Amino acid sequence: MEFCVQLSPYYPDKSYGGDRVFNDMLEQAKLADRLGYDSVSVTEHHLVNILMMPAPLQFATQIAQHTDNVKIITSIVVLPLHDMRVYAGEVVCADIFTKGRLMLGVGRGAFAYEMERIGVPMAETQDKFNESLDLLQRLLTEEEVSADGQYYKFDPVTIMPRPITPGGPQMMMAVLNPEGIYHCTKRGFHIQTTPLAGQHQLLLDQVAGFNRAKDELGDAGSHLTLSLSRVGFISNSDAQRAKYIEQAESYYARFDNVFTGPGEVENGLIKELPRKQTRQELDDSLMIGSVQEIIDKLGVYADLGIDRFILSCNFGVSQSETMDTIQQFAEEIAPHFSTSMKVKREAAE
């Protein structure tokens, strides 16, 4: 199993400054690179202060200038918000500027608040995503591409420059539904998923959908990977754990507002609304705990064959504590599961 740090800017206090928020994320990426993480991932969200990254490809190229080895995953780019004729060229440029380290994670979008205010009603996102994805792949693979669909109608065009890698960077699909995971894997996509609030049966079904598709693909699907994203943080005392759970609860009170709730946002700040989940239930569902507790939970994922664990640790904890968790995770947890990080750890000792 390999490990990734999700760079997911959280901006609850405007006085902190967007420049400081993004610099924090860059420092996390540089640390992850030095410590031997497989990758870092960058989000895309607009008009809100959670997962706040309106320019993921720009940020990916910035990360590439300050790191040497980590893959840079968009996790995820919301295709229905972009014009594929423009976006395909931006992807090619980002692939060039990152020297081939870009992995393009794509999805349909999850926050109705941002989608609808940018002119893409949630009811249309699946159809527009499907058409956009097909068109993006054609633009990156073929020349003189035309369209006569529901959302795109244009005469033949050729994206310039042409991709340095045939077909453009590898693509990863963000999918929750197990049957959707099966179909996306069968189409040749890497998969990123999450078991939501720690729902173990859902995770088993998600893994089963991926494995069923890989088995049917045979050698053609041997390179495909399944990545799992979870909120996690190392606590070295009961007091720390209680503090981190409280901060996570405040974060999720905002996240739920735009993910499943009414989408109440004021001046870019998502309102904190009451949650149905108790604090104890939240504690049970997250990867927040001691080194040994996290090792035990990751062991379940390793046994299931998860290829990459995406550590999401930006939910309101200070930058210094977050950097400490990224380092401690790399030194005391990841070597139990990652051969490359074990070798790096042993070389440093």
Side-chain angles (χ1 to χ4, degrees):
M1 187 160 57
E2 298 297 342
F3 293 92
C4 172
V5 175
Q6 182 170 325
L7 309 174
S8 48
Y10 180 36
Y11 191 39
D13 179 4
K14 290 181 183 178
S15 68
Y16 192 77
D19 56 338
R20 293 175 66 189
V21 173
F22 293 143
N23 186 67
D24 287 348
M25 299 302 106
L26 183 58
E27 290 301 313
Q28 291 177 25
K30 291 159 65 175
L31 178 61
D33 188 50
R34 292 196 301 271
L35 293 170
Y37 282 85
D38 164 78
S39 50
V40 295
S41 67
V42 296
T43 56
E44 179 182 11
H45 279 290
H46 305 263
L47 313 178
V48 291
N49 62 321
I50 278 181
L51 305 168
M52 179 190 67
M53 175 46 66
L57 291 183
Q58 290 183 24
F59 192 36
T61 61
Q62 177 76 350
I63 292 168
Q65 298 305 307
H66 294 273
T67 58
D68 297 315
N69 298 304
V70 288
K71 300 180 186 72
I72 305 164
I73 304 171
T74 58
S75 179
I76 50 89
V77 166
V78 185
L79 289 191
L81 297 181
H82 300 271
D83 186 315
M84 293 301 100
R85 291 161 292 187
V86 176
Y87 191 68
E90 293 177 346
V91 168
V92 172
C93 288
D95 193 31
I96 292 170
F97 299 153
T98 60
K99 295 181 171 57
R101 285 193 275 147
L102 179 68
M103 178 178 280
L104 192 67
V106 299
R108 61 180 284 197
F111 293 173
Y113 174 86
E114 65 176 334
M115 301 298 289
E116 294 179 358
R117 279 158 181 77
I118 300 177
V120 185
M122 284 299 291
E124 298 180 11
T125 55
Q126 188 64 65
D127 289 341
K128 188 169 185 182
F129 172 77
N130 291 338
E131 187 173 329
S132 298
L133 177 61
D134 177 68
L135 181 56
L136 177 62
Q137 289 186 291
R138 290 174 56 211
L139 289 165
L140 293 172
T141 305
E142 307 168 14
E143 298 185 8
E144 292 302 276
V145 174
S146 61
D148 186 21
Q150 181 179 356
Y151 298 99
Y152 289 96
K153 297 180 184 294
F154 56 83
D155 293 332
V157 297
T158 298
I159 296 303
M160 296 293 288
R162 300 305 298 156
I164 55 174
T165 303
Q170 296 184 69
M171 283 196 185
M172 174 184 287
M173 192 78 71
V175 198
L176 293 179
N177 180 273
E179 196 64 18
I181 289 174
Y182 166 78
H183 289 292
C184 290
T185 307
K186 282 292 295 268
R187 292 180 61 185
F189 293 107
H190 297 276
I191 301 295
Q192 176 187 326
T193 195
T194 180
L196 297 174
Q199 299 175 24
H200 188 66
Q201 185 57 54
L202 174 60
L203 174 61
L204 295 178
D205 294 340
Q206 291 167 330
V207 173
F210 177 76
N211 288 337
R212 178 161 57 100
K214 280 196 71 171
D215 289 343
E216 292 176 9
L217 286 170
D219 290 344
S222 61
H223 67 292
L224 298 177
T225 58
L226 177 62
S227 298
L228 182 71
S229 177
R230 294 295 310 276
V231 167
F233 218 88
I234 297 172
S235 59
N236 295 306
S237 69
D238 290 342
Q240 270 193 337
R241 181 182 187 134
K243 183 183 77 168
Y244 296 155
I245 293 297
E246 182 178 358
Q247 289 172 301
E249 187 175 46
S250 175
Y251 174 88
Y252 274 105
R254 294 180 171 93
F255 179 86
D256 291 351
N257 180 353
V258 287
F259 183 57
T260 57
E264 295 183 17
V265 180
E266 187 173 299
N267 297 324
L269 302 179
I270 304 168
K271 292 184 179 180
E272 189 173 336
L273 299 181
R275 305 188 71 240
K276 295 179 181 179
Q277 188 182 43
T278 68
R279 183 171 294 184
Q280 184 58 54
E281 289 171 337
L282 179 65
D283 188 354
D284 293 340
S285 73
L286 298 180
M287 299 278 288
I288 297 176
S290 68
V291 166
Q292 189 57 55
E293 285 174 319
I294 294 177
I295 288 173
D296 292 343
K297 289 185 176 182
L298 283 173
V300 175
Y301 300 154
D303 290 343
L304 287 173
I306 300 298
D307 298 295
R308 179 184 292 109
F309 178 80
I310 302 176
L311 176 65
S312 178
C313 51
N314 291 290
F315 54 89
V317 183
S318 72
Q319 172 70 350
S320 62
E321 290 173 293
T322 302
M323 295 282 277
D324 287 345
T325 269
I326 292 171
Q327 180 150 355
Q328 192 175 1
F329 191 98
E331 293 175 347
E332 300 180 30
I333 296 175
H336 289 268
F337 306 97
S338 167
T339 301
S340 61
M341 294 187 79
K342 180 180 180 181
V343 169
K344 191 173 185 70
R345 175 62 177 161
E346 290 173 347
E349 291 177 344

